Amino acid sequence: MLELVDLGHNYGSYRAIDRVNLKVAQGEVVCIVGPSGCGKSTLLRSIAGLIKPTGGTVLLDGKPVDGSPENLAVVFQDYSRSLYPWMSALANVGLPLRRRGLDKKKRDAAAMNALEQVGLAGAAAKFPWEMSGGMQQRVSIARALAYQPKLLLMDEPFGSVDAQTREELEDLTLRVCAHHGMTILLITHDVDESVYVGDRVVVLSKAPGTVVGDLPVQLPGPRDQIHTRELDAFVRLRAEVGRLVRGITPQRNTHGNTHGYGYGVETR
Amino acid sequence: MRRATFGVLRLWIVPVTLIVWELVTRATVSPFFPPPTRIVEQFHAMWLSGPASQLLLTDRALETFGPSLGRLLLAWVIAGVLGVALGVALGRIRGVADYADPVLQFLRALPPPLLVPIFFALFEIGTATQLAVIVFGVIWPVLVNTTDGVRAVDKGFLETARVFQFSRYDILRRVILPAAMPKIFAGLRLSLSLALILMVVSELVGSNSGIGYSLLYAQQSYDYAGVWAHIVLLGVLGLLFNALFLVAEGRVLSWHAHARRTV
C-alpha cells in the first residue's frame, strides 16, 4: 500500500537520505531502525507530507503523494508539542474527526471509545498537563486510533518515556493498532524495540541514509516482553540488526566496538 | 496563612500615608491640597449618596460614569477585535508584514491626543471622535502582541494540524488563536489601562459629558476637593478593571498557567 521509490532528500548540500526503496504491504508493522542522524525522521516527514523530498516519489495505494495524504496519522515523539494543552484529552482525540463530517456527539463517542482502548476512559476530561508522559503518549495513540487511518506513522513514539512505560506502550501498540489491521511504520533508534514490535525490520545506514537491511521477523505466538525477548530467534535477530545498524559485517567481531548507538550486541 | 498575614502587614504604608497626608494638608491649608477626609466627603456627596436601588450611586454618578465607561468599553472591544484580526493577518499571511510594517510603525509613533483635531474634522465633536481617539490609541498593544503570538506558534502544533488535515478555519480557530491567546491577553490588558487614560483625555478636549468633562468642570469651578475626587475615582476604576480582567484571564487561560507550572 505504501511504496517509496528512490526517495532522497537534501538539506542544502547535506544529503539526509539517499535513494530509499521500500514497499510496505497492507496490515504490516514495519520498523525502521538506524543510527542517530541517519535521516529516519526525514524519511517519515517525507511520507507525512511535512517536507517535500528533493528526489524520488512516495506512492500510497499506487498514487503519488503530494502534501499530507488523507487517511494518515502520525504519533510524534514529542507529545507535549503534539497534544494541544488548551483542550481536554477527549477534545484532543476528537478534533481530527471534525474533518470526517461527524457531529459533536458522534465525535465524542468515537473519541471516548478510542480512549477506552488505550485504558484512559477515566481521564477523558483531563488536560495534557495533568497527565504523565506515558498517559499523554497514550492519548496521542488514541487520537490516531479514533482517526482510523490506513497508515499510521510513529516517529520514535516511545523515546521520551521511561523503560516500563515504554514496554507498556509497545504492547499497547501491538495489541490495539495492529488489531485494527492498521499498517504501521514505526521509526526508532532502539534495536530491541524494532525487533520486538515489527513484522519486518528495515535498517538504514548512517547519513545519507539508505536501506542496508530488510529482515522479516518470525517469532512464534503473541509477543510478550519477557518470553519473546529471551527466545533464541529474538536474540539472533537483535544481534543481526545491531550489526547492520553499526555498519559492521558479521565476520568482524563486535566486542568492544562502541561507535554506533547504545545497545551492546551480545554474542551467545 | 502566613503569606496572607504578611500581605496585610505590608499594607501599613497606606494608613500611614493617609494620616500624614491628612495632618500636613490640615496644617498648611492650601486650597489646591484639601485633606483626604474632605476629598472623601466630596466623593461621597457627588457620587455615593444615592438610593440603595442604584447601589448608592447618585443620578449624577450614573450620568457621568455611564457615557464614559460605555465609550471606554466599546472602544476597547473594537480595538480588540480589529487588533486581533489585523495581527493575525500580519503574522500569518506571508508578505503582508513587509508592506504594512513601516506604515504601522509610523502610525504607532503618533501620540493619539495630537490626532484629536483630525478626528474632529472627520467625525465632528461627539462620541465618534472619542471612540476614534481611544481605538487609535489602544489598538497597538493588541496588534503587536497578536502578530508576535501567531508567529510564535509551536511548529509541532502546526505539523499535527497538517498531518490530520484540519481545515484552515480549524487551524486558525483551534490551534493558532488558542496558542497565541496568552500574548493576546497581555496586549488586551495593557490596552485596557491605556483606554482609561485616553477616555479621560478625549473628554477633556471635546465633550459635554463623562468623567473627563466633569473633572474639567470641577477644576473650572475651583472645586479642588472635587478634582481630587475624580483622580481617586480614576484610580479605583483602573484597579477594578485590572482585577476583573485578571479574573477573566484566569478563566480563559487556566490551561496556560497550569501548563507552565508543570513543564
Side-chain angles (χ1 to χ4, degrees):
Chain A
M1 68 158 315
L2 173 70
E3 193 178 350
L4 310 181
V5 185
D6 285 337
L7 193 68
H9 190 73
N10 296 345
Y11 296 102
S13 63
Y14 178 73
R15 190 141 186 82
I17 49 173
D18 190 31
R19 274 171 298 164
V20 172
N21 286 288
L22 182 67
K23 268 188 191 172
V24 179
Q26 175 73 43
E28 239 183 338
V29 179
V30 175
C31 288
I32 295 187
V33 63
S36 288
C38 70
K40 300 185 293 271
S41 287
T42 304
L43 184 65
L44 180 132
R45 294 165 66 79
S46 304
I47 302 171
L50 291 172
I51 50 174
K52 202 173 162 51
T54 47
T57 36
V58 178
L59 297 167
L60 205 58
D61 286 331
K63 276 170 270 172
V65 162
D66 185 28
S68 281
E70 291 267 350
N71 283 322
L72 174 132
V74 180
V75 173
F76 292 95
Q77 174 179 6
D78 192 354
Y79 42 79
S80 67
R81 297 170 61 204
S82 163
L83 294 177
Y84 300 115
W86 48 88
M87 288 179 194
S88 68
L90 190 76
N92 263 297
V93 174
L95 185 59
L97 302 179
R98 289 172 61 83
R99 247 303 142 104
R100 296 260 194 267
L102 300 174
D103 61 37
K104 172 122 179 51
K105 227 173 160 182
K106 282 193 182 139
R107 287 202 307 267
D108 282 352
M112 196 64 201
N113 183 279
L115 283 171
E116 266 163 29
Q117 292 184 59
V118 301
L120 283 181
K126 284 200 174 171
F127 286 84
W129 36 268
E130 296 176 296
M131 301 180 172
S132 66
M135 282 169 88
Q136 291 185 52
Q137 200 56 308
R138 277 196 277 169
V139 175
S140 294
I141 294 173
R143 177 169 63 187
L145 278 177
Y147 194 63
Q148 297 186 318
K150 289 180 70 179
L151 177 62
L152 173 62
L153 303 178
M154 304 180 97
D155 186 8
E156 307 231 6
F158 318 128
S160 311
V161 296
D162 62 76
Q164 271 88 13
T165 311
R166 183 188 191 103
E167 293 186 352
E168 245 174 71
L169 291 176
E170 285 167 3
D171 287 342
L172 181 80
T173 303
L174 284 175
R175 194 174 69 240
V176 183
C177 305
H179 170 77
H180 280 262
M182 241 179 243
T183 310
I184 301 176
L185 196 66
L186 185 145
I187 280 175
T188 180
H189 62 248
D190 183 339
V191 173
D192 270 48
E193 183 169 276
S194 69
V195 176
Y196 183 74
V197 178
D199 293 330
R200 229 172 99 200
V201 177
V202 173
V203 184
L204 287 191
S205 65
K206 273 193 286 187
T210 191
V211 177
V212 292
D214 189 341
L215 310 149
V217 179
Q218 273 145 350
L219 296 170
R223 299 198 186 167
D224 175 282
Q225 290 288 354
I226 307 294
H227 294 114
T228 304
R229 285 179 197 271
E230 63 187 9
L231 291 173
D232 279 347
F234 182 87
V235 174
R236 243 179 289 118
L237 201 54
R238 180 176 67 183
E240 201 178 338
V241 173
R243 272 192 286 272
L244 284 167
V245 167
R246 285 153 203 234
I248 315 163
T249 45
Q251 292 91 328
R252 267 203 281 151
N253 206 320
T254 54
H255 282 295
N257 194 330
T258 51
H259 81 83
Y261 208 96
Y263 287 79
V265 177
E266 292 163 44
T267 42
R268 292 196 184 178
Chain B
M1 181 61 213
R2 271 185 64 187
R3 225 173 160 179
T5 332
F6 186 65
V8 172
L9 282 178
R10 266 197 324 194
L11 289 176
W12 62 269
I13 193 86
V14 175
V16 170
T17 309
L18 283 174
I19 290 165
V20 172
W21 185 5
E22 180 80 30
L23 293 176
V24 171
T25 44
R26 278 187 187 215
T28 53
V29 208
S30 155
F32 300 110
F33 297 98
T37 44
R38 185 65 205 94
I39 296 169
V40 170
E41 240 169 67
Q42 185 68 357
F43 192 101
H44 180 257
M46 281 194 293
W47 298 317
L48 272 185
S49 49
S53 62
Q54 292 177 185
L55 293 169
L56 298 181
L57 292 168
T58 57
D59 290 343
R60 183 174 169 190
L62 295 180
E63 278 161 27
T64 312
F65 304 169
S68 282
L69 298 185
R71 285 190 286 250
L72 182 155
L73 290 176
L74 182 59
W76 181 61
V77 168
I78 294 174
V81 171
L82 282 180
V84 169
L86 289 174
V88 168
L90 278 172
R92 296 305 314 182
I93 305 175
R94 205 169 297 170
V96 171
D98 298 340
Y99 288 106
D101 213 47
V103 180
L104 289 174
Q105 295 303 335
F106 172 79
L107 290 173
R108 211 180 130 195
L110 301 174
L114 291 185
L115 294 173
V116 171
I118 295 168
F119 286 132
F120 275 156
L122 283 173
F123 305 112
E124 300 181 342
I125 294 183
T127 303
T129 295
Q130 285 152 5
L131 286 178
V133 172
I134 304 175
V135 169
F136 186 86
V138 310
I139 196 172
W140 307 110
V142 186
L143 183 88
V144 172
N145 270 355
T146 306
T147 308
D148 246 29
V150 300
R151 269 191 199 148
V153 175
D154 195 296
K155 226 175 120 203
F157 291 157
L158 294 173
E159 287 186 343
T160 302
R162 248 168 83 193
V163 164
F164 287 103
Q165 310 220 318
F166 292 4
S167 63
R168 289 173 72 95
Y169 170 80
D170 279 352
I171 292 180
L172 182 65
R173 166 78 179 68
R174 293 170 203 280
V175 180
I176 292 176
L177 279 180
M181 214 36 99
K183 285 222 160 172
I184 294 177
F185 264 72
L188 283 172
R189 187 171 164 202
L190 198 57
S191 286
L192 188 57
S193 55
L194 274 176
L196 189 70
I197 298 169
L198 285 172
M199 172 204 81
V200 178
V201 170
S202 74
E203 288 171 353
L204 285 175
V205 186
S207 174
N208 47 20
S209 66
I211 298 169
Y213 171 76
S214 166
L215 169 67
L216 199 63
Y217 185 81
Q219 190 207 350
Q220 282 164 358
S221 8
Y222 305 102
D223 172 13
Y224 288 103
V227 171
W228 280 97
H230 281 84
I231 294 169
V232 172
L233 173 71
L234 290 170
V236 170
L237 284 176
L239 269 176
L240 198 70
F241 280 140
N242 195 48
L244 287 175
F245 186 85
L246 287 181
V247 169
E249 187 184 56
R251 291 188 151 224
V252 176
L253 292 184
S254 66
W255 66 267
H256 186 243
H258 289 289
R260 263 201 317 204
R261 206 168 300 152
T262 46
V263 165

